[in-house]
Amino acid sequence: TLLKPDSGLAKVFGTPVGSPFEVSRVRHQIGFMPDYFGLYNDMTAGEYLEFFAAAYRIDAAKRPGLVNDMLALVNLSDRKDSMISGLSRGMQQKLSLGRALVHSPQLLLLDEPASGLDPRARIELMELLRELKRMGKTVLISSHILSELGNLCDLVVIIEKGHTVYTGSLEDAAIGLMQG
């Protein structure tokens, strides 16, 4: 919703992305977690989620419970009052995911969500993503590590130089990549 499309049409759950009248609606349907988190190190984890809940205009009376729910979902309840600067990379990654979920979007766009995580944090993140899938969320993951996505993805799309070169199952993608 920040740039006008050069061509084509994109919709998010039927809502045109390029429509100036639908910007707010589209933004409320999407949760985005970039590869670089953009965290505010001088806030606590709880303050950070409270700030973004306010930015999404979530009612002030509902925010404390929502913040607690988000922290519980990403397994950071015990870090509510911890400064973000003191959190490990894995914890910061989970907090960033909590921020992407704070307004309960139906679509999550995750850019390299497991990048730089230790093995335990990767396992926890993948379990959380499976839980989000069970909750009915649509999760789009940008990743170059196909093996990590095997138990998570229903569909794989491989894009090379801006063009789709494969759409299908992960198993068939692996076979095609080995043959190509």
Side-chain angles (χ1 to χ4, degrees):
T1 61
L2 298 175
L3 301 174
K4 292 181 106 175
D6 295 333
S7 64
L9 175 67
K11 293 182 179 182
V12 175
F13 300 111
T15 304
V17 173
S19 169
F21 304 106
E22 301 291 352
V23 168
S24 180
R25 185 171 172 199
V26 168
R27 288 181 183 171
H28 276 82
Q29 292 177 351
I30 297 173
F32 175 60
M33 185 175 107
D35 183 24
Y36 177 75
F37 319 129
L39 298 169
Y40 304 130
N41 288 328
D42 59 343
M43 290 182 158
T44 66
E47 290 169 340
Y48 182 74
L49 293 177
E50 170 88 19
F51 173 80
F52 278 96
Y56 278 104
R57 294 182 172 88
I58 294 169
D59 184 71
K62 294 180 181 178
R63 287 184 216 149
L66 176 65
V67 166
N68 289 335
D69 290 347
M70 283 299 103
L71 289 169
L73 181 66
V74 297
N75 199 22
L76 290 175
S77 294
D78 61 333
R79 300 297 183 154
K80 180 178 182 178
D81 298 320
S82 297
M83 298 299 289
I84 292 173
S85 60
L87 299 177
S88 70
R89 177 166 170 87
M91 289 178 190
Q92 289 181 358
Q93 192 98 334
K94 290 193 283 186
L95 183 60
S96 183
L97 182 58
R99 184 213 24 94
L101 290 165
V102 77
H103 60 293
S104 192
Q106 281 304 108
L107 172 63
L108 290 170
L109 302 174
L110 310 178
D111 185 15
E112 298 287 352
S115 175
L117 297 181
D118 63 60
R120 180 179 189 88
R122 282 178 188 261
I123 291 168
E124 289 174 0
L125 178 67
M126 291 303 153
E127 183 52 41
L128 179 55
L129 294 178
R130 278 190 285 281
E131 178 60 27
L132 293 170
K133 180 180 172 183
R134 285 189 289 270
M135 292 168 64
K137 305 288 184 190
T138 299
V139 182
L140 294 177
I141 300 172
S142 168
S143 179
H144 63 282
I145 306 172
L146 292 177
S147 61
E148 284 191 342
L149 305 176
N151 295 328
L152 190 61
C153 293
D154 298 321
L155 180 69
V156 173
V157 178
I158 298 176
I159 300 171
E160 189 174 298
K161 297 180 182 175
H163 298 284
T164 302
V165 296
Y166 175 80
T167 302
S169 72
L170 182 62
E171 295 80 21
D172 291 344
I175 293 167
L177 290 173
M178 289 191 303
Q179 292 174 350

